């Protein structure tokens, strides 16, 4: 048996949705917590399968993990640095944050190659470049990495690409290193600031997070602390796009509007009727929308994670839109699913061309990855008839109770078990 999500489309949404804690911050904060020598409490943890996978890895490391609602209490005082070869390690790419955390804490880590969404090649050469610059020896054998450093010494590291993962992993590996580490061309995503905030609350010395130069002065000890996760800017953007697609009036609450400025400015270009508040956005029925051109870039540019959900909306815009993804050139599998529903989309290497408006019809579609899943949900809400979305596990990795949130907004969305 397998589970599908079914959506009966053509209904207008109305009401308020509260955004959960950031998945992409959470999956880094949980490994970072083990750097402390005392318990760390994280608040605002989203209810997603990636968190369950990471908690399973913590338990393998003999870290005590206690969940109370959206609070996670992580106690690393009795942890053991065992090899991470279990299947759960390959369930998500963010397992690789245990490389930086365990290397930083113990000077040694053995871990299987991480998994995650297929968006084209996703190497970790920049992570390894950083670890080696700090004095580690990195070996790849038997489908995993063994990383060892007699001692970790601060170094200057230039990232050829402003990689989110490499920036965070190097920050963690450098927390206890001897002396100063400087990361040049660091990624500037808000999730990096959130991890740096947690490390500094623990007693680390990280400066410049959010800019393209980050320095980390190694310390001797990191204490416990309490940290609340920033709201999920990609979930927020997904719901704002959804509202633009099919809401009479929708309030998206618990957001940091600045984090999705690149999106809201593009939606304004389309003619979407938005009222941007301090920590919320109200979207009202906007009438006909204009086609636009979008090119994804590292933060603060337009987020690659939002080009897939936006494409569902662009099928309804008047005219020809162009989407170019400069981060992941193969992140266009959602276009094939949208074509199946009636969208007019041409796909070429690294970009897509969408001609609208085109009526969408419910069909059987597949969530090929997390944000394709979001795109399918938006298309399903727009379409005439019922849409059946397969491989729903991708969606549950990154969206906390998306069904429940949509039901409260008036959507007809439910799950069914069907024969494999
Ligand atoms: C993070 O992935 C996010 N995941 C992704 O979100 C997001 O799409 C991506 O950043 C870009 O914003 C998490 O935070 C868990 P990168 P990450 O390292 O860190 C290349 C989602 O939907 N690169 O910034 O893996 C890489 O191939 C997920 O929530 C190297 O070449 O992204 C890509 O083209 C999907 N070598 C570009 O850099 C490296 O060593 C950006 O990757 C590392 C990356």
């Amino acid at each position: 048996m397998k589970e599908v999500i079914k959506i009966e489309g053509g209904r207008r949404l109305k009401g308020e949705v509260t955004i959960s804690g950031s998945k992409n911050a959470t999956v880094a904060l949980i490994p970072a917590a083990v750097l402390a020598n005392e318990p760390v409490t994280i608040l605002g943890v989203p209810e997603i399968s990636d968190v369950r996978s990471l908690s399973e890895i913590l338990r393998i490391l003999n870290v005590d993990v206690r969940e109370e609602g959206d609070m996670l209490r992580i106690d690393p005082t009795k942890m053991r640095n065992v090899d991470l070869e279990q299947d759960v390690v390959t369930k998500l790419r963010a397992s690789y944050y245990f490389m930086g955390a365990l290397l930083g804490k113990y000077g040694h880590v053995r871990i299987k190659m991480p998994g995650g969404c297929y968006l084209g090649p996703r190497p970790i050469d920049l992570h390894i470049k950083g670890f080696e610059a700090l004095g580690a020896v990195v070996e790849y054998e038997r489908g995993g990495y063994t990383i060892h450093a007699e001692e970790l010494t601060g170094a200057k590291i230039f990232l050829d690409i402003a990689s989110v993962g490499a920036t965070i992993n190097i920050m963690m590996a450098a927390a206890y290193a001897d002396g100063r580490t400087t990361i040049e061309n660091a990624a500037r995503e808000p999730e990096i600031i959130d991890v740096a905030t947690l490390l500094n609350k623990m007693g680390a010395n990280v400066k410049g997070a959010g800019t393209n130069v980050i320095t980390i002065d190694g310390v001797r000890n990191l204490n416990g602390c309490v940290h609340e996760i920033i709201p999920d800017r990609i979930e927020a953007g997904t719901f704002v796009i959804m509202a633009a697609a099919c809401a009479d009036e929708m309030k998206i609450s618990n957001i940091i509007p600045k984090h999705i400025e690149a999106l809201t400015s593009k939606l304004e270009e389309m003619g979407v009727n938005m009222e941007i508040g301090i920590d919320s956005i109200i979207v009202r029925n906007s009438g006909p929308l204009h086609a636009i051109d979008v090119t994804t870039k590292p933060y603060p540019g337009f987020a690659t994670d939002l080009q897939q959900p936006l494409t569902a909306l662009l099928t309804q815009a008047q005219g020809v839109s162009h989407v170019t993804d400069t981060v992941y050139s193969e992140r266009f599998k959602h276009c094939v699913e949208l074509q199946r529903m009636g969208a007019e989309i041409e796909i070429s290497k690294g970009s897509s061309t969408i001609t609208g408006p085109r009526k969408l019809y419910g069909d059987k579609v597949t969530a090929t990855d997390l944000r394709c899943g979001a795109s399918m949900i938006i298309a399903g809400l727009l379409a005439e008839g019922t849409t059946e979305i397969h491989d729903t596990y991708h969606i549950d990795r990154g969206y906390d109770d998306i069904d429940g949130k949509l039901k409260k907004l008036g959507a007809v969305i439910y799950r069914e078990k069907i024969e494999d």
Side-chain angles (χ1 to χ4, degrees):
M1 296 294 274
K2 65 185 266 191
E3 181 188 76
V4 294
I5 286 178
K6 286 195 168 181
I7 299 174
E8 290 170 20
R11 287 171 173 74
R12 301 294 292 174
L13 301 183
K14 199 170 172 55
E16 180 173 2
V17 62
T18 300
I19 298 304
S20 302
S22 161
K23 162 183 94 79
N24 288 347
T26 303
V27 298
L29 293 167
I30 291 174
V34 307
L35 280 163
N37 296 316
E38 295 170 340
V40 171
T41 299
I42 302 179
L43 306 172
V45 179
E47 173 68 42
I48 53 177
S49 57
D50 275 4
V51 169
R52 288 192 289 279
S53 302
L54 290 170
S55 298
E56 201 181 318
I57 295 173
L58 289 181
R59 290 189 181 99
I60 292 166
L61 293 165
N62 201 42
V63 173
D64 183 60
V65 192
R66 234 162 283 149
E67 209 174 307
E68 280 157 44
D70 72 355
M71 183 188 84
L72 208 53
R73 185 178 182 278
I74 297 168
D75 181 353
T77 47
K78 298 189 181 63
M79 80 181 280
R80 283 197 306 275
N81 185 19
V82 301
D83 291 357
L84 294 174
E85 308 264 12
Q86 300 74 7
D87 289 347
V88 63
V89 175
T90 62
K91 274 191 185 160
L92 71 161
R93 182 170 169 79
S95 313
Y96 63 24
Y97 285 133
F98 283 104
M99 286 179 177
L102 296 176
L103 177 65
K105 185 169 180 127
Y106 296 109
H108 180 86
V109 54
R110 165 72 194 167
I111 184 167
K112 251 183 141 168
M113 192 53 190
C117 289
Y118 182 75
L119 307 170
R122 299 179 79 184
I124 60 167
D125 56 307
L126 298 174
H127 302 236
I128 290 162
K129 174 183 178 180
F131 299 149
E132 288 174 338
L134 293 170
V137 173
V138 181
E139 282 163 359
Y140 181 76
E141 86 255 302
R142 293 179 286 113
Y145 287 91
T146 304
I147 308 174
H148 186 82
E150 286 310 312
E151 60 179 14
L152 291 163
T153 311
K156 181 172 273 207
I157 300 154
F158 179 84
L159 293 180
D160 313 44
I161 298 172
S163 155
V164 173
T167 301
I168 292 175
N169 240 341
I170 295 165
M171 263 191 334
M172 292 194 284
Y176 284 115
D178 184 18
R180 168 164 290 191
T181 297
T182 303
I183 306 173
E184 304 266 0
N185 194 33
R188 298 161 56 190
E189 274 68 4
E191 292 76 32
I192 289 159
I193 300 174
D194 214 31
V195 174
T197 304
L198 172 77
L199 291 173
N200 287 337
K201 280 184 185 176
M202 289 156 62
N205 206 332
V206 182
K207 292 190 174 62
T211 74
N212 54 12
V213 179
I214 298 177
T215 59
I216 305 102
D217 291 322
V219 294
R220 292 261 164 278
N221 183 45
L222 292 174
N223 309 310
C225 68
V226 179
H227 179 73
E228 175 147 18
I229 303 170
I230 55 170
D232 191 317
R233 62 191 169 98
I234 306 302
E235 185 192 24
T238 303
F239 273 95
V240 173
I241 293 167
M242 213 180 272
C246 51
D248 285 331
E249 178 167 310
M250 189 195 297
K251 182 174 186 181
I252 300 96
S253 299
N254 187 38
I255 70 169
I256 300 174
K258 181 160 182 50
H259 287 173
I260 52 171
E261 226 161 35
L263 171 70
T264 49
S265 77
K266 279 294 168 186
L267 294 176
E268 275 160 1
E269 223 182 288
M270 291 181 73
V272 175
N273 177 356
M274 282 178 292
E275 182 186 329
I276 299 177
I278 302 285
D279 60 358
S280 66
I281 291 181
I282 298 174
V283 179
R284 294 185 177 89
N285 194 339
S286 314
L289 298 175
H290 317 300
I292 54 165
D293 292 346
V294 176
T295 299
T296 70
K297 286 272 190 319
Y299 191 87
F302 191 96
T304 170
D305 297 348
L306 288 173
Q307 63 93 343
Q308 292 167 284
L310 182 71
T311 302
L313 178 64
L314 293 175
T315 66
Q316 306 307 305
Q318 299 194 327
V320 180
S321 299
H322 300 90
V323 175
T324 304
D325 196 327
T326 65
V327 178
Y328 294 114
S329 58
E330 297 181 35
R331 197 172 191 168
F332 291 93
K333 292 188 173 64
H334 58 296
C335 296
V336 175
E337 305 302 317
L338 290 169
Q339 285 168 340
R340 199 192 309 276
M341 296 175 73
E344 184 177 338
I345 304 181
E346 279 163 52
I347 309 163
S348 48
K349 178 87 175 148
S351 69
S352 64
T353 302
I354 303 106
T355 304
R358 289 290 178 276
K359 191 167 178 50
L360 300 182
Y361 297 90
D363 204 318
K364 285 185 183 168
V365 293
T366 300
T368 55
D369 56 74
L370 168 56
R371 307 305 172 181
C372 168
S375 175
M376 294 301 101
I377 287 176
I378 297 172
L381 292 167
L382 278 166
E384 181 186 295
T386 301
T387 299
E388 182 177 294
I389 303 173
H390 291 239
D391 291 1
T392 55
Y393 59 88
H394 283 296
I395 298 170
D396 296 331
R397 282 194 48 217
Y399 287 99
D400 180 349
D401 188 23
I402 195 159
D403 314 28
K405 287 170 176 165
L406 280 170
K407 280 186 184 120
K408 279 198 200 107
L409 292 165
V412 177
I413 178 171
Y414 51 93
R415 294 186 188 229
E416 257 182 20
K417 296 277 187 209
I418 62 168
E419 288 301 319
D420 240 337

